[in-house]
Amino acid sequence: MASCDFCGRTEEDPGRLLTWSTAVEHGRQQMFCTECSRTHVRSMEGKLDSEYW
Ligand SMILES: [Zn+2]
């Protein structure tokens, strides 16, 4: 099971986890759910840490 580091949502279905995004912030890997990935894709492409979203 994984949990979204932004909204805290959890996902147990490995198939759905494929649509999640990962990022490395402050030296540790974070995971973001599909919804947060979609919402924040521009910020992610800009390599901004989630604390600035
Ligand atoms: Zn999320």
Side-chain angles (χ1 to χ4, degrees), residues 3-9 20 31-37 40:
S3 62
C4 175
D5 282 300
F6 192 73
C7 70
R9 175 198 308 237
W20 283 37
M31 292 192 67
F32 304 107
C33 69
T34 310
E35 287 299 311
C36 290
S37 301
H40 300 292

Side-chain angles (χ1 to χ4, degrees), residues 4-52:
C4 175
D5 282 300
F6 192 73
C7 70
R9 175 198 308 237
T10 57
E11 179 59 68
E12 296 184 44
D13 184 343
R16 288 178 54 102
L17 280 175
L18 291 176
T19 63
W20 283 37
S21 298
T22 59
V24 177
E25 295 181 2
H26 307 298
R28 82 179 188 94
Q29 187 173 40
Q30 302 198 314
M31 292 192 67
F32 304 107
C33 69
T34 310
E35 287 299 311
C36 290
S37 301
R38 187 178 300 140
T39 302
H40 300 292
V41 63
R42 288 184 179 279
S43 297
M44 294 173 75
E45 288 176 345
K47 300 281 190 272
L48 290 172
D49 285 353
S50 55
E51 58 200 74
Y52 299 113

